[in-house]
DNA sequence: GCTTGCAGCTCCAGCGACTGGAGGTTTTAT
DNA sequence: ATAAAACCTCCAGTCGCTGGAGCTGCAAGC
């Protein structure tokens, strides 16, 4: 199977597949006489696993670890469980964070009565920390705004 | 006011301030004889506005636009309102997205009974698209997992 | 006046997970 | 045989910082 076909089947880009090979989570493919990659269904399965993990927001390092742990079928799945639970915790935290943000944004947008910029409550809310109701000011995570 | 003092007051790093100057959202400061930046309270206000916006997840480009629009006090605040509402919509979408993720992660974690890796339901769920209940498979945004 | 040490300066590389492009080669279809 | 599409490698760019190297400025204590 060519790299293009694999990309189509797995719903990702050709460059992404080469990137996964480069960072070592997808094993190098056999090459044709003209140096083109030839993939097996096994590669396809692994790539689908990787893509699915990425959709859940696992990092490449977490995926690498899971693939390593998954390689030994007799090993306890404790560690896999831990990684997944860690990710779940992150997701929950981020939801809370965003819900706070949503409330605050709604508050400042509601304040704006649609006049001129000089009296705009959105701008003044953003300018003035005194008006800020935000609970964890300045300690955001790097994916959603400022990370300190 | 030195750059270090400004950084302390605004709760950000010295490098961040220099970065904002470099990308043109914070005007260059007057320099001392020894070429060190000297800031005024006006700079401080602007920096606080920027930091506050960043905590809400506005991009540098959105902040640039808001600063530009805010510069003319007589202008209608329609555009500011639009930018803020766009951001609110993004936040709402991301919350929905993450809630789906949370449900799915909880489902696959619950499936794992803590045996050996070879029978681990977390791994098989991640490997098998057939088991995937995820609604918007493969169309995630770049901040939370895969973006296509 | 001299040293010490922190704070500042510029320039550049790196983060994560890709993405896109240049410039060349191979495969495939007509 | 030829043209188009797909492939190859290598490198730069994305975003918003962050950290480091290697230098200079400045205030305080002796």
């Amino acid at each position: 199977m060519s790299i293009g076909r694999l990309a189509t089947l797995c719903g990702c880009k050709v460059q992404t597949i080469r990137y996964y090979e480069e960072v070592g989570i997808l094993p190098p493919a056999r090459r044709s006489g003209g140096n083109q990659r030839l993939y097996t269904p096994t590669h396809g399965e692994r790539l689908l696993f990787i893509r699915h993990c990425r959709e859940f927001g696992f990092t490449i390092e977490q995926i690498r670890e899971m693939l390593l742990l998954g390689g030994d079928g007799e090993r306890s799945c404790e560690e896999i469980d831990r990684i997944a639970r860690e990710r779940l915790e992150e997701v929950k935290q981020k939801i809370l964070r965003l819900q706070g943000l949503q409330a605050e944004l709604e508050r400042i947008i509601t304040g704006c009565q649609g006049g001129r910029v000089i009296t705009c409550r959105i701008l003044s809310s953003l300018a003035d920390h005194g008006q800020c109701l935000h609970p964890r000011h300045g300690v955001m995570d790097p994916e959603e705004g400022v990370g300190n």
Side-chain angles (χ1 to χ4, degrees), chain A:
Chain A
M1 179 167 33
S2 73
I3 195 170
R5 179 110 186 80
L6 182 65
T8 306
L9 284 180
C10 295
C12 69
K13 307 217 171 178
V14 164
Q15 294 104 307
T16 306
I17 298 175
R18 289 197 281 247
Y19 172 73
Y20 290 154
E21 182 186 315
E22 193 190 321
V23 298
I25 58 175
L26 193 64
R30 184 167 75 82
R31 299 294 183 114
S32 75
N35 197 34
Q36 302 200 354
R37 291 170 179 85
L38 294 174
Y39 289 99
T40 61
T42 309
H43 282 104
E45 282 165 32
R46 185 139 173 159
L47 181 54
L48 280 179
F49 178 86
I50 294 169
R51 292 307 289 173
H52 215 169
C53 287
R54 288 292 302 123
E55 282 157 24
F56 280 105
F58 291 101
T59 65
I60 298 285
E61 286 318 305
Q62 286 169 329
I63 296 170
R64 191 195 306 282
E65 199 179 349
M66 287 199 277
L67 286 166
L68 214 66
L69 294 169
D72 176 6
E74 292 309 309
R75 177 191 273 273
S76 151
C77 65
E78 230 174 274
E79 303 254 8
I80 301 276
D81 197 65
R82 179 185 53 77
I83 296 170
R85 283 179 197 280
E86 268 173 30
R87 179 65 193 139
L88 177 58
E89 227 13 76
E90 281 169 31
V91 169
K92 282 182 174 175
Q93 287 305 312
K94 186 170 286 179
I95 289 171
L96 286 177
R97 169 94 195 91
L98 286 172
Q99 282 171 341
L101 223 56
Q102 179 185 347
E104 181 76 359
L105 270 172
E106 275 167 351
R107 191 182 69 81
I108 69 176
I109 288 172
T110 307
C112 174
Q113 304 297 336
R116 281 160 306 146
V117 161
I118 203 161
T119 58
C120 180
R121 294 256 290 152
I122 294 175
L123 284 185
S124 57
S125 297
L126 286 170
D128 185 0
H129 275 231
Q131 291 185 34
C132 177
L133 299 180
H134 201 279
R136 293 181 62 248
H137 191 57
V139 280
M140 295 188 57
D141 80 90
E143 276 182 80
E144 186 55 47
V146 170
N148 283 333

